Amino acid sequence: MDFRNYAKQYPDRKGYFGDYGGIYLPPDLEKAMLEIADAYETIAHSAQFINELRRIRREFQGRPTPVYHCERLSRELGTTQIYLKREDLNHTGAHKLNHCMGEGLLAKYMGKKKLIAETGAGQHGVALATAAAFFGLECEIHMGEVDIKKQAPNVARMKLLGAKVVPATHGLKTLKEAVDSAFETYMNEFEDSMYCIGSVVGPHPFPKMVRDFQMVVGEEAREQFLEMTGYLPDAIVGAVGGGSNAIGLFLPFLNDPVDIYGVEPLGRSTKLGDHAASLTYGEKGVMHGFQSIMLKDKEGEPAPVYSVASGLDYPSTGPEHAFLNDLGRVKYDVISDEEALDAFYKLSRMEGIIPAIESSHALAYAMKLAKKEDNPGFVLVNLSGRGDKDMDFVLEKYGEKFQL
């Protein structure tokens, strides 16, 4: 397949990437999504909007973020050179602000008064609360009760920024339940509010819109890597839950001779309920207003999922990832909790960079590639976020294991 015009061809007008995507919602909510889609296609592609977003990225977010060579870690691994796209240095500490500022700016242009969202690890919640404060909008963040306890620093940040944090107390009390809760609120407030989905999931136009806002990551990284080394990377790697950081890195490289790897969370084991590897173990299904590959229980409902990374424990994945998997352009594989935590400690101690546990999954996979007999020469990893939010949880639960 020729990927030169891929981003313009996909999704189609109804929001489908092949068999995946679309809008599966009640009529009122479908109408609200089509309103956002129409606004995005008109407002967000105007010179005024684009110039304002570029100014925000440069002056407020601190973009471009750098590409960094992990010299000591690479030397320990052998001949493969590991590079990081430092999205942890983006304002608020993760890639999430890239689409939140875009969504906030769009909401402002549309005359909306409030932003509503879900969050898992809290990075999307912090980023959206930041965007709401910047644009003078109200903000309501729904978060699983389990994740609220695990990610206390991010909960404090959201509240400090003026957001109302609503705990999701049903089911497993994690990311899926937070999405359920946020959708329920949005159904009653969609006329004055905008639901700002935190990844490339959900009904059209969010998989496309979030992807487009996140492509700045791959566009910068491709240019920076060529300037640094004179080459393109042999492989690029991103962690995939919903998959926003990964898709943002992947798309600008699709037409290049570069191996692309998406890394799902294997968690504790391959047993259903012990992982969140949707593409690896799931099947086609509809949830939260879109069709993709999802993990199902015996009744065909979304299965319980688990990952040490709160931002990855979701029972489905972005429809574009499902499509790229079908095309065979991206290889999707898994990393366990233990492998991710090992990468977390190694990067912290060898490079002085504390990564988010989500990002540690991608780093762990890059380290695996480096140890293979036919290892690649250059590997670029999307370090999608910093690990401040994870430190207390990791030290308390796993400190003894890693002899701290």
Side-chain angles (χ1 to χ4, degrees), residues 237-241 243-246 261-264 312 358-359 361-362 382 384:
V237 188
V240 177
S244 57
N245 89 87
Y261 298 95
V263 184
E264 296 193 295
L312 300 180
E358 290 78 13
S359 316
H361 283 72
N382 193 357
S384 55

Side-chain angles (χ1 to χ4, degrees), residues 9 14 19 22 76-77 119 159 166 181-182 270 290 298 305-307 312 321 340 375-376 380 387 396 402:
Q9 294 174 315
K14 293 185 177 180
D19 293 336
E76 161 128 335
L77 292 169
T119 194
K159 290 179 178 178
V166 180
S181 178
T270 59
F290 71 107
K298 290 178 181 177
V305 290
Y306 159 82
S307 170
L312 300 180
H321 285 292
N375 61 326
L380 174 63
E396 181 183 337
F402 290 92

